Amino acid sequence: MNDFTYHVPTKFVFGRGSVDEVGDELSALGHTCALVVYGQGSVVRTGTLDRVLTSLDRTGVRHAQLGGVRPNPEVGLVRDGVAAARADEADVVLAVGGGSVIDSAKAIAMGAATGRDPWEFASTGTRPDKTLPVATVLTLAASGSETSNSCVLTNEETKEKRGITSETNRPRISFLDPENTYTVSKFQTGCGIVDIMMHTLERYLTPEGGESDLTDRIAEGLLIAVRDAGRRAIADPRDYEARATLMWAGSVSHNDYTGCGRKRLFPVHKLEHELSAFRDEIAHGAGLSVLFPAWAEHEMPYDYPRFAQFANRVLGVEMDFEHPERTAREGIRTLRRFFEEIGMPTHLSQLGIKPENYEKLAANTVRTVNGPVKSYSPLDEKAIIEIYRLAE
Ligand code: NZQ
Ligand code: ZN
């Protein structure tokens, strides 16, 4: 097990009706004015936004609003948010929505506190030394942004999508009511299932972990629970226990708990961000479900036993001790079938990505990360194109 520091300061208020406690909790934390950020209208239609505003009004927390965040959130709207937060002297940025809304709130918070353009952090790799506190009311179990240290932004002018990773990004408080996710479509539920699994798998399938039995078992337990709850939530969107499992798993999966003692590289995420930057209608989870099995096929020869362990313990594939490569391959086939069963794409053509796009996408990926993508083997442009071909 590698050395690590684990510090997750986010307070979670989990369960039915937690959304009605937003005002009390923010007020108890000393906040008096919130900038409420939301997306394209789902929270208006479901009544979640109204409940949040009512709770703020009841407890005397002033508020301004910024709606309109799009999936794969753009820095243009974030800049409007920075201006609004400063004009209203907001002392907390409250996100009501999924990962795109939360990431916008995080970027607004860092821009408002530092006076710098948030894209500067994304493009230069510098980190903010301070930020406004962020609170979240989560409506979609997927990104883990409600507790993670990252924030992913798209520059709509340059078509770049980049992450800002900083401990200052972790929200102060997150309200998780599984009932708020009943209205999430089957497709977005599927995207969330894939993303949650990937946040743990990208910590589990990494060359720099050494032995980590406890962390492995925690990761494997999460993956099994998410697979089973995922099937139930797709079959019955109002299955409370399934939605609750997905929601809590989404947070735990991306706040480093399932990767303690292992180094995180996240190569598949790096490949995916380039796809959703290229075509912003590609949902993050859909891009991952296409790329992960292909990446795994490409990289498993570097560590067949670990891929076989995943196949055996998580997916129930019988272990072939003499030929672990067979177990490993069967595991990835099984996972791909699971993604298809929950309605996720597994081919680049389903995302509208064509072979003539490969060279540009691979070049963009390498440029964004300043060199080959770190993985079991360094993924240069040629290797990335090989992965695209496995995902065709
Ligand atoms: O915009 P609205 O109308 O709210 O609709 C959204 C959006 O269309 C809808 N939705 C959300 N809650 C709903 C709902 N529809 C019905 N009922 C509800 N309760 O779902 C759609 C997708 O929302 P979005 O926030 O884009 O999805 P997600 O949570 O998957 O976030 C994706 C973004 O997060 C980034 C991704 O790259 C992508 O930009 N990520 C952020 C991470 C982080 N900050 O830690 C880590 C992730 O790996 C990821 O990269
Ligand atoms: Zn992700």
Side-chain angles (χ1 to χ4, degrees), residues 217-279:
R217 303 280 178 181
I218 290 169
E220 290 154 2
L222 180 137
L223 291 164
I224 291 167
V226 169
R227 179 198 60 198
D228 294 350
R231 282 194 170 118
R232 283 171 57 179
I234 294 275
D236 175 8
R238 301 178 72 84
D239 181 329
Y240 181 84
E241 293 304 331
R243 290 292 195 185
T245 297
L246 291 181
M247 201 168 215
W248 185 229
S251 296
V252 173
S253 192
H254 203 29
N255 72 8
D256 294 329
Y257 184 61
T258 61
C260 287
R262 302 189 64 82
K263 183 161 183 177
R264 84 184 231 189
L265 297 176
F266 271 55
V268 187
H269 270 70
K270 293 190 174 110
L271 300 189
E272 193 296 309
H273 285 163
E274 221 51 60
L275 295 193
S276 44
F278 182 67
R279 292 177 68 108

Side-chain angles (χ1 to χ4, degrees), residues 88-104:
D88 287 296
E89 297 182 357
D91 53 26
V92 60
V93 185
L94 172 58
V96 186
S100 296
V101 171
I102 300 172
D103 286 356
S104 298

Side-chain angles (χ1 to χ4, degrees), residues 40-42 99-100 103 139 148 150 161 180 183 199 269 273 284:
Q40 299 276 301
S42 71
S100 296
D103 286 356
T139 66
S148 77
S150 63
K161 184 173 181 181
N180 283 339
T183 51
H199 292 156
H269 270 70
H273 285 163
H284 173 61

Side-chain angles (χ1 to χ4, degrees), residues 75-144:
V75 72
L77 191 75
V78 164
R79 291 180 180 132
D80 295 345
V82 172
R86 298 195 124 202
D88 287 296
E89 297 182 357
D91 53 26
V92 60
V93 185
L94 172 58
V96 186
S100 296
V101 171
I102 300 172
D103 286 356
S104 298
K106 288 177 176 179
I108 291 168
M110 66 181 87
T114 59
R116 290 174 60 188
D117 180 21
W119 188 253
E120 235 182 273
F121 298 116
S123 60
T124 61
T126 52
R127 298 292 165 251
D129 54 358
K130 56 183 173 179
T131 189
L132 288 184
V134 170
T136 84
V137 174
L138 185 66
T139 66
L140 172 52
S143 69

Side-chain angles (χ1 to χ4, degrees), residues 38-255:
Y38 58 96
Q40 299 276 301
S42 71
V43 298
V44 177
R45 292 190 291 279
T46 58
T48 305
L49 182 66
D50 257 352
R51 283 171 71 184
V52 169
L53 299 180
T54 303
S55 173
L56 295 175
D57 286 337
R58 185 172 49 75
T59 48
V61 179
R62 287 190 299 120
H63 48 84
Q65 292 178 40
L66 178 84
V69 173
R70 287 157 42 108
N72 300 318
E74 295 168 350
V75 72
L77 191 75
V78 164
R79 291 180 180 132
D80 295 345
V82 172
R86 298 195 124 202
D88 287 296
E89 297 182 357
D91 53 26
V92 60
V93 185
L94 172 58
V96 186
S100 296
V101 171
I102 300 172
D103 286 356
S104 298
K106 288 177 176 179
I108 291 168
M110 66 181 87
T114 59
R116 290 174 60 188
D117 180 21
W119 188 253
E120 235 182 273
F121 298 116
S123 60
T124 61
T126 52
R127 298 292 165 251
D129 54 358
K130 56 183 173 179
T131 189
L132 288 184
V134 170
T136 84
V137 174
L138 185 66
T139 66
L140 172 52
S143 69
S145 187
E146 66 276 10
T147 174
S148 77
N149 61 0
S150 63
C151 159
V152 187
L153 286 184
T154 295
N155 186 320
E156 60 274 32
E157 283 158 17
T158 60
K159 289 268 179 199
E160 290 169 283
K161 184 173 181 181
R162 287 177 181 259
I164 307 167
T165 304
S166 164
E167 287 306 307
T168 55
N169 274 337
R170 295 197 196 265
R172 171 177 281 188
I173 184 164
S174 284
F175 299 85
L176 273 55
D177 181 345
E179 289 186 342
N180 283 339
T181 64
Y182 284 173
T183 51
V184 175
S185 67
K186 281 194 196 306
F187 175 70
Q188 285 296 341
T189 301
C191 289
I193 292 164
V194 173
D195 197 20
I196 295 168
M197 292 180 97
M198 284 309 111
H199 292 156
T200 286
L201 269 178
E202 290 242 60
R203 290 171 165 93
Y204 184 93
L205 296 172
T206 156
E208 297 179 49
E211 202 180 303
S212 51
D213 195 42
L214 174 61
T215 294
D216 285 0
R217 303 280 178 181
I218 290 169
E220 290 154 2
L222 180 137
L223 291 164
I224 291 167
V226 169
R227 179 198 60 198
D228 294 350
R231 282 194 170 118
R232 283 171 57 179
I234 294 275
D236 175 8
R238 301 178 72 84
D239 181 329
Y240 181 84
E241 293 304 331
R243 290 292 195 185
T245 297
L246 291 181
M247 201 168 215
W248 185 229
S251 296
V252 173
S253 192
H254 203 29
N255 72 8

